[in-house]
């Protein structure tokens, strides 16, 4: 029996975002004859169990491998029954009237083969890929070499995102976004399904172009909006993304352009690939090495002047220090200071000055102690102490200046609490505030706003939602959390766009759920607050300590391998595991894979908290509890105990 609409969502390891998408989809399906299908590409984050348990009405297709976007969508399209088919990303939120409005538009425009809508990101900013032009060689050239960004509204240079078209008006366009492709089945029957040569990216461009060649039109339809947490399913700024995306463009060119144009296009794309990849590598390299290199140069320069001053003013024996002081001793001092500061997390983003001070202090103690045992390089202790003082001073000054240039303030490593307001009716707002008070995050909840003007809860009531802009300005609010149970998606999106404050972040609480979700950049991976576990296992100290323990135990196992090999299940596998742990590919202890969806991401383990009781065949609940307890109460002794108890299994 034919349906009006088939909604197809391909998912890969974005369980929480998928759940929020499905909640919004179910609200938008009201009074429509719709089927919803989720194709899971072998996720390991509990997505399948979540869909099966919380959305039993959804048609679920479980793949045992990651088939990619095209193949997975085609699986569902082939068995779907809708007059219209919507390909929807799992990191989106649709408005309650989105499907009705799209169906109505397609009914009224029989020439429409495909339809795209206005998309905004997690900050409420318009996403220009909502409407796109065909990436012909010249259009691609303007995009690749920045002319499109310089002249976004130019009819010549701005064709990639059609910046010259009003984003609030309906237009015929050439290319639809794969995040939301509303398609007419008759058009697909004529032009074919998604091209499975595209694993990820490019397939939306290819299908959009084939729809045009099939005699249909594609439309941009801004009368309804969706939130697209762009960057959640894949990291858009990664080097891997650059290669995959631009290679997809080459496949498209070779398929649809003449040999000459395809060659030009491929040449431009290959240039773009290497330029973008080189820029990405250089950017990461500069960011990673800026402070260490600046520290080394500043400390070395300062030590030279300290040495000269000390020689001329305070050195007991007349004469200059030997060349070995600046050539060997000082570089050794600097290495120890730099490593010590790194060890105490002084090179982390927004590191406190106190951590730099602790690192320099410990480094100075180590240098002073070691100098007692190396006679040829035993120089003035006073100069070592002065060097430590200078090292701390120089590092601090470098960071203060860099921070001021970037942020125009001196709050380095500030632990300022994020100011948050909650928007929703009384009951749900107070539930969310109570939920947040259980969380181990650094924020201050100012209060809540309601839609109905009723605020009888025990938490601070700030007024009605129409005062939200005034509240944000008055209290310098950092983040707004919307309760989707009380506020329709179209109103949430409307407020996000109307507030229009670049300093404000947004999150959404799905209906009566115990997590809060959002994304604050179109290129950044999304984030969520949750109370389901204490994140002690991924505290910065424990991440570092766990890695140190892995390295120390691995070196120990490697040294004693000829003896230990007789006590493990598979010596060959044990040796391979030692090498992989040293490389950082695995940890000795990790989580057992199960249905728990709120576990933090850590390295896969050779053994798990379940390994030593494996013979008892624990059920899913027991496995989940063991994993959760391991995450909550993690310390080094836990890993050591598990390694000792499960030593024979280190070779599995």
């Amino acid at each position: 029996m034919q349906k009006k609409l088939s909604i197809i969502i391909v998912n890969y390891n974005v369980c929480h975002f998928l759940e929020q998408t499905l909640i919004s989809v179910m609200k938008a399906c009201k009074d429509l004859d719709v089927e919803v299908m989720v194709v899971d590409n072998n996720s390991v984050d509990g997505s399948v169990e979540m869909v099966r348990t919380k959305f039993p009405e959804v048609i679920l297709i479980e793949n045992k491998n990651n088939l990619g976007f095209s193949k997975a969508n085609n699986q569902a399209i082939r068995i779907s029954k809708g007059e219209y088919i919507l390909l929807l990303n799992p990191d989106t939120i649709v408005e309650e009237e989105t499907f009705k409005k799209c169906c109505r538009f397609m009914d009224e425009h029989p020439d429409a083969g495909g339809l795209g809508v206005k998309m905004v990101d997690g900050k409420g900013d318009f996403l220009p890929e909502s409407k796109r032009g065909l990436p012909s060689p010249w259009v691609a050239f303007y995009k690749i070499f920045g002319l499109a960004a310089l002249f976004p509204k130019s009819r010549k240079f701005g064709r990639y995102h059609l910046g010259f078209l009003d984003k609030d008006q309906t237009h015929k366009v050439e290319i639809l976004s794969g995040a939301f492709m509303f398609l007419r089945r008759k058009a697909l029957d004529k032009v074919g399904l998604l091209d499975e040569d595209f694993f990820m990216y490019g397939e939306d461009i290819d299908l959009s172009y084939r729809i045009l060649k099939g005699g249909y039109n594609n439309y941009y339809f801004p009368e309804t909006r969706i939130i697209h947490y762009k960057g959640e399913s894949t990291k858009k700024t990664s080097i891997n993304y650059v290669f995959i995306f631009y290679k997809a463009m080459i496949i498209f060119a070779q398929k649809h352009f003449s040999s000459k144009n395809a060659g030009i296009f491929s040449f431009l794309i290959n240039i773009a690939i290497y330029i973008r990849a080189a820029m990405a590598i250089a950017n990461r390299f500069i960011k990673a090495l800026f402070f260490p290199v600046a520290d080394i140069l500043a400390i070395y320069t300062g030590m030279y002047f300290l040495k000269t001053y000390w020689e001329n003013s305070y050195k007991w024996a007349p004469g200059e220090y030997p060349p070995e002081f600046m050539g060997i001793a000082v570089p050794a001092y600097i290495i120890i200071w730099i490593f010590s500061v790194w060890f105490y997390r002084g090179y982390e983003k927004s590191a406190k000055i106190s951590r730099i001070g602790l690192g320099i202090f410990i480094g100075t103690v180590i240098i002073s102690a070691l100098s007692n045992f190396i006679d040829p390089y035993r120089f003035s202790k006073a100069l070592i102490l002065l060097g430590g003082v200078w090292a701390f001073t120089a590092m601090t000054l470098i960071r203060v200046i860099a921070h001021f240039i970037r942020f125009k303030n001196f709050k380095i490593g500030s632990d300022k609490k994020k100011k948050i307001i909650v928007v929703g009716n009384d009951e749900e707002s107070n539930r969310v505030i109570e939920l947040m008070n259980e969380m181990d995050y650094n924020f201050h909840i100012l209060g809540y706003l309601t839609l109905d003007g009723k605020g009888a809860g025990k938490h601070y009531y700030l007024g009605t939602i129409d005062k939200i802009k005034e509240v944000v300005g008055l209290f310098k609010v950092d983040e707004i959390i919307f309760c989707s149970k009380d506020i329709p998606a179209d109103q949430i999106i409307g407020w996000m766009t109307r507030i229009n404050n670049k300093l404000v972040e947004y999150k959404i609480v799905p209906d009566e759920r115990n997590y809060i979700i959002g994304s604050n950049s179109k290129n950044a991976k999304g984030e969520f607050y949750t109370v389901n576990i204490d994140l002690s296992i991924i505290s910065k100290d424990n991440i570092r300590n766990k890695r140190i323990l892995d390295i120390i135990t691995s070196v120990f196992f490697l040294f004693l391998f000829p003896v230990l090999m007789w006590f493990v299940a598979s010596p060959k596998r044990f040796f391979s595991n030692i090498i992989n742990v040293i490389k950082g590919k695995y940890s000795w202890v990790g989580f057992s894979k199960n249905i728990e969806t709120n576990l933090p991401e850590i390295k896969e383990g050779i053994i798990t908290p379940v390994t030593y009781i494996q013979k008892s065949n624990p059920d899913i609940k027991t496995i989940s509890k063991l994993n959760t307890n391991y995450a909550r109460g993690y310390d080094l002794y836990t890993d050591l105990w598990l390694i000792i108890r499960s030593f024979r299994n280190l070779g599995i």
Side-chain angles (χ1 to χ4, degrees):
M1 180 178 177
Q2 189 178 49
K3 301 281 187 179
K4 185 66 175 179
L5 174 63
S6 296
I7 301 167
I8 299 170
I9 303 170
V10 174
N11 175 70
Y12 181 65
N13 287 331
V14 285
C15 179
H16 287 86
F17 282 85
L18 172 64
E19 183 176 2
Q20 183 170 243
T21 297
L22 288 172
I23 290 171
S24 73
V25 164
M26 293 308 171
K27 290 180 180 179
C29 287
K30 189 177 180 181
D31 301 327
L32 274 177
D33 188 15
V34 177
E35 63 179 356
V36 181
M37 312 173 79
V38 171
V39 185
D40 187 81
N41 270 337
N42 197 32
S43 297
V44 294
D45 65 344
S47 294
V48 168
E49 291 79 6
M50 181 277 294
V51 174
R52 188 182 292 121
T53 303
K54 298 181 179 180
F55 302 94
E57 67 273 36
V58 169
I59 300 169
L60 179 62
I61 300 174
E62 303 175 49
N63 290 326
K64 300 306 178 185
N65 297 292
N66 184 0
L67 300 183
F69 185 81
S70 297
K71 286 185 179 181
N73 271 301
N74 287 345
Q75 277 182 290
I77 292 172
R78 291 187 181 102
I79 64 173
S80 65
K81 301 174 182 177
E83 176 186 354
Y84 301 119
I85 295 167
L86 171 62
L87 308 184
L88 184 67
N89 262 32
D91 54 353
T92 56
I93 298 176
V94 300
E95 294 180 343
E96 283 75 4
E97 297 295 314
T98 292
F99 301 152
K100 291 178 184 177
K101 289 181 177 180
C102 289
C103 286
R104 189 181 307 124
F105 183 92
M106 297 292 280
D107 288 344
E108 294 171 355
H109 295 79
D111 66 310
L115 181 71
V117 299
K118 179 187 284 189
M119 299 188 296
V120 300
D121 64 15
K123 291 276 284 184
D125 295 328
F126 175 73
L127 289 172
E129 58 267 32
S130 301
K131 49 182 175 63
R132 288 185 291 172
L134 182 70
S136 64
W138 279 112
V139 171
F141 177 85
Y142 300 144
K143 173 73 167 60
I144 291 167
F145 291 98
L147 292 172
L150 287 173
F151 309 102
K153 296 188 180 299
S154 166
R155 288 187 174 273
K156 181 175 183 179
F157 300 125
R159 289 205 60 81
Y160 188 85
H161 285 136
L162 302 176
F164 50 87
L165 297 180
D166 188 343
K167 68 178 184 295
D168 296 319
Q169 297 292 324
T170 299
H171 301 284
K172 290 181 181 179
V173 295
E174 292 166 323
I175 305 300
L176 305 172
S177 169
F180 187 103
M181 292 187 79
F182 203 98
L183 305 167
R184 188 182 300 275
R185 179 178 292 278
K186 288 182 179 179
L188 289 180
D189 290 341
K190 183 174 182 179
V191 306
L193 304 184
L194 293 165
D195 188 336
E196 296 181 3
D197 285 341
F198 298 90
F199 180 81
M200 184 180 292
Y201 310 121
E203 64 286 310
D204 51 355
I205 297 175
D206 174 74
L207 180 56
S208 298
Y209 186 51
R210 285 191 282 122
I211 289 173
L212 295 178
K213 292 174 70 176
Y216 290 93
N217 290 311
N218 292 320
Y219 284 89
Y220 165 69
F221 180 61
E223 301 303 316
T224 187
R225 301 162 298 186
I226 70 168
I227 298 175
H228 179 206
Y229 294 114
K230 185 173 182 275
E232 179 52 32
S233 298
T234 52
K235 294 183 179 180
K236 305 289 183 181
T237 55
S238 69
I239 297 172
N240 187 51
Y241 164 74
V242 171
F243 278 92
I244 294 175
F245 179 77
Y246 285 127
K247 288 295 185 184
M249 294 298 95
I250 292 175
I251 295 174
F252 173 79
Q254 291 172 341
K255 179 177 179 180
H256 293 291
F257 296 160
S258 65
S259 297
K260 179 181 178 181
N261 285 338
I264 296 171
F265 190 92
S266 298
F267 175 74
L268 292 173
I269 290 296
N270 278 305
I271 291 176
I273 288 173
Y274 292 108
I275 290 175
R276 289 285 299 274
M279 289 174 62
I281 293 170
N283 186 51
R284 290 185 181 184
F285 188 76
I286 291 170
K287 283 184 177 180
L289 293 183
F290 174 78
F291 282 118
V293 170
D295 292 341
I296 290 169
L297 293 174
I299 296 171
Y300 189 87
T301 302
M303 288 298 294
Y304 174 80
F305 286 107
L306 279 173
K307 181 220 33 148
T308 304
Y309 175 75
W310 198 255
E311 287 172 338
N312 296 330
S313 304
Y314 292 100
K315 192 166 180 283
W316 292 110
E320 297 181 352
Y321 281 103
E324 288 80 6
F325 179 74
M326 293 303 299
I328 297 176
V330 170
Y333 299 167
I334 293 174
I335 290 171
I336 294 172
W337 280 322
I338 295 293
F339 178 80
S340 184
V341 170
W342 171 83
F343 185 83
Y344 286 99
R345 306 203 326 259
Y347 283 105
E348 290 182 0
K349 187 178 180 181
S350 300
K352 295 181 180 179
I353 297 300
S354 60
R355 294 197 173 276
I356 296 172
L358 180 60
I360 293 296
F361 173 76
I362 297 300
T364 303
V365 171
I366 292 171
I367 292 167
S368 183
L370 289 175
S371 67
N372 291 324
F373 301 98
I374 310 175
D375 286 337
Y377 303 103
R378 184 184 297 179
F379 299 103
S380 171
K381 286 287 198 306
L383 202 51
I384 293 174
L385 293 175
L386 288 172
V389 172
W390 166 246
F392 172 71
T393 303
M395 285 183 162
T396 301
L397 285 173
I398 289 168
R399 281 148 185 79
V400 167
I401 293 170
H403 186 87
F404 183 79
I405 290 172
R406 184 176 179 186
F407 299 107
K408 301 297 184 290
N409 65 60
F410 297 100
K411 298 177 181 178
I412 298 177
S414 172
D415 274 341
K416 173 192 170 187
K417 288 189 175 183
K418 184 183 290 186
K419 295 178 182 177
I420 293 177
I421 60 172
V422 178
V423 182
N425 283 335
D426 187 80
E427 182 180 352
E428 182 69 355
S429 292
N430 279 276
R431 183 190 74 84
V432 169
I433 293 174
E434 291 293 317
L435 177 74
M436 295 180 70
N437 284 333
E438 299 177 32
M439 299 179 181
D440 187 23
Y441 294 95
N442 193 30
F443 48 52
H444 172 55
I445 304 169
L446 299 171
Y448 67 102
L449 300 165
T450 65
L451 283 72
D452 56 14
K454 297 177 181 178
K458 64 181 181 180
H459 299 286
Y460 189 46
Y461 174 59
L462 298 170
T464 54
I465 192 171
D466 60 305
K467 302 295 183 184
I468 192 169
K469 292 187 74 171
E470 289 85 346
V471 170
V472 168
L474 178 63
F475 294 105
K476 301 293 186 290
V477 172
D478 299 304
E479 185 168 283
I480 301 172
I481 297 177
F482 293 100
C483 302
S484 68
K485 178 184 178 182
D486 302 325
I487 310 175
D490 63 324
Q491 291 189 32
I492 292 175
I493 297 172
W495 281 113
M496 288 168 61
T497 54
R498 282 199 293 276
I499 291 169
N500 193 29
N501 187 327
K502 300 298 182 184
L503 300 178
V504 177
E505 300 172 356
Y506 305 96
K507 286 187 175 61
I508 297 174
V509 187
D511 298 26
E512 300 180 345
R513 297 307 199 263
N514 287 338
Y515 62 88
I516 301 166
I517 203 163
S519 177
N520 299 315
S521 166
K522 67 181 180 180
N523 292 321
K525 182 177 173 62
E527 59 181 357
F528 61 90
Y529 301 140
T530 179
V531 296
N532 288 10
I533 66 166
D534 183 353
L535 302 179
S536 64
I537 195 170
I538 56 169
S539 72
K540 291 177 179 177
D541 285 332
N542 281 333
I543 289 173
R544 181 193 63 199
N545 293 340
K546 186 174 176 65
R547 179 61 182 149
I548 291 172
L549 178 67
D550 279 342
I551 293 173
I552 292 174
T553 52
S554 297
V555 172
F556 176 77
F557 293 156
L558 192 62
F559 183 73
L560 295 179
F561 181 77
V563 176
L564 298 178
M565 62 181 289
W566 302 101
F567 300 95
V568 294
S570 170
K572 184 177 179 181
R573 188 65 180 270
F574 178 47
F575 183 83
S576 175
N577 288 341
I578 292 172
I579 300 302
N580 284 327
V581 171
I582 290 174
K583 289 180 177 179
K585 186 176 181 181
Y586 298 108
S587 175
W588 284 117
V589 185
F591 293 130
S592 177
K593 294 179 182 178
N594 66 95
I595 65 169
E596 177 62 60
T597 60
N598 286 328
L599 290 172
E601 293 184 9
I602 62 174
K603 286 188 176 71
E604 184 178 344
I606 304 300
I607 59 173
T608 75
V610 182
T611 304
Y612 76 100
I613 63 165
Q614 198 67 55
K615 292 181 180 179
S616 62
N617 295 317
D619 57 25
I620 293 295
K621 288 185 178 179
T622 301
I623 295 173
S624 180
K625 186 175 181 180
L626 286 168
N627 277 351
T628 303
N629 288 340
Y630 175 68
R632 281 177 172 164
Y634 176 80
D635 58 37
L636 289 182
Y637 299 106
T638 303
D639 272 5
L640 278 172
W641 185 80
L642 288 169
I643 289 170
I644 294 170
R645 286 293 301 266
S646 305
F647 183 78
R648 181 171 175 78
N649 293 306
L650 297 183
I652 58 175

